Amino acid sequence: MAHADFDTIAVELSSLGEPADLRALFGNDNPIELEIGCGKGGFLLRMAKACPDRNFFGIEWANQFYKFAADRMARWGMTNVRIMRTDAKHFVIHRLPPACLSALHVYHPDPWPKKRHHKRRMVTPDFMEAAVRVLSSGARLAIQTDHAEYFEQIKTVTAARPELEQIPFDDPSFGTLDERTETNFEVKYMREGRPIHRLALRRL
Ligand SMILES: C[S@@+](CC[C@H](N)C(=O)[O-])C[C@H]1O[C@@H](n2cnc3c(N)ncnc32)[C@H](O)[C@@H]1O
């Protein structure tokens, strides 16, 4: 497998243009999938190994997880993954150009359960407006959470976008591997028997 070192995989926000040119990061024209809040990178690693003809970009705010994920990708020699530490919401809204993503993955976003903190949630109308803009035609948006009340908000916010149509979450014809997402939180919560709420949409 081709060598990939930490410094290639770990991307500095300042190195990206305005708007951010993700294609230049990978040096090829393969489709680019973004995972927001990739944590330790379990989902990205599994996908990147299974789909070498797709590029995977992970954004993680927590320094410890960002470093762990980038180091993990380097140890596996992954050439189709990049990881960046920044605020993903700000990045999607302000830095990404239109139609640059073939998929957007948001798995177990922080639920911010207190009502006064709801405005800190990732999936809000302003985020969804930007998400619709950065997804290319036919692209997939996948969201999953263990938090029932947040899931209701997610359904309301996404249903307000006429550019999105609901699709089956685990249909391989839309780019999934199988029924599992396999993020660290999903694995942990499923082991605990907690219900997982999943939603997938296609950009029209
Ligand atoms: C509950 S964890 C889920 C991690 C992973 N997606 C999973 O399912 O295992 C939420 C992650 O999102 C990250 N996060 C929260 N807000 C973020 C933001 N604005 N930008 C980037 N990452 C963020 C957190 O640091 C944390 O690692």
Side-chain angles (χ1 to χ4, degrees), residues 36-47:
I36 282 177
C38 62
K40 293 180 175 177
F43 166 76
L44 283 184
L45 182 61
R46 178 166 177 259
M47 290 299 291

Side-chain angles (χ1 to χ4, degrees), residues 15-84:
S15 73
L16 295 176
E18 185 101 43
D21 182 2
L22 300 188
R23 203 158 289 285
L25 276 181
F26 293 96
N28 61 46
D29 287 338
N30 290 340
I32 299 169
E33 306 197 8
L34 170 63
E35 185 187 7
I36 282 177
C38 62
K40 293 180 175 177
F43 166 76
L44 283 184
L45 182 61
R46 178 166 177 259
M47 290 299 291
K49 280 201 254 177
C51 311
D53 54 350
R54 284 147 73 173
N55 293 320
F56 295 89
F57 189 49
I59 301 184
E60 172 51 52
W61 176 248
N63 195 33
Q64 184 193 354
F65 293 145
Y66 147 77
K67 281 190 176 152
F68 182 97
D71 185 53
R72 189 177 187 187
M73 304 304 162
R75 279 187 277 116
W76 277 95
M78 303 312 299
T79 55
N80 58 337
V81 184
R82 300 289 182 271
I83 310 273
M84 184 168 74

Side-chain angles (χ1 to χ4, degrees), residues 11 13 57 59-62 66 84-92 95:
V11 173
L13 179 62
F57 189 49
I59 301 184
E60 172 51 52
W61 176 248
Y66 147 77
M84 184 168 74
R85 176 172 185 246
T86 195
D87 173 0
K89 189 167 191 170
H90 187 272
F91 183 75
V92 170
R95 297 293 295 271

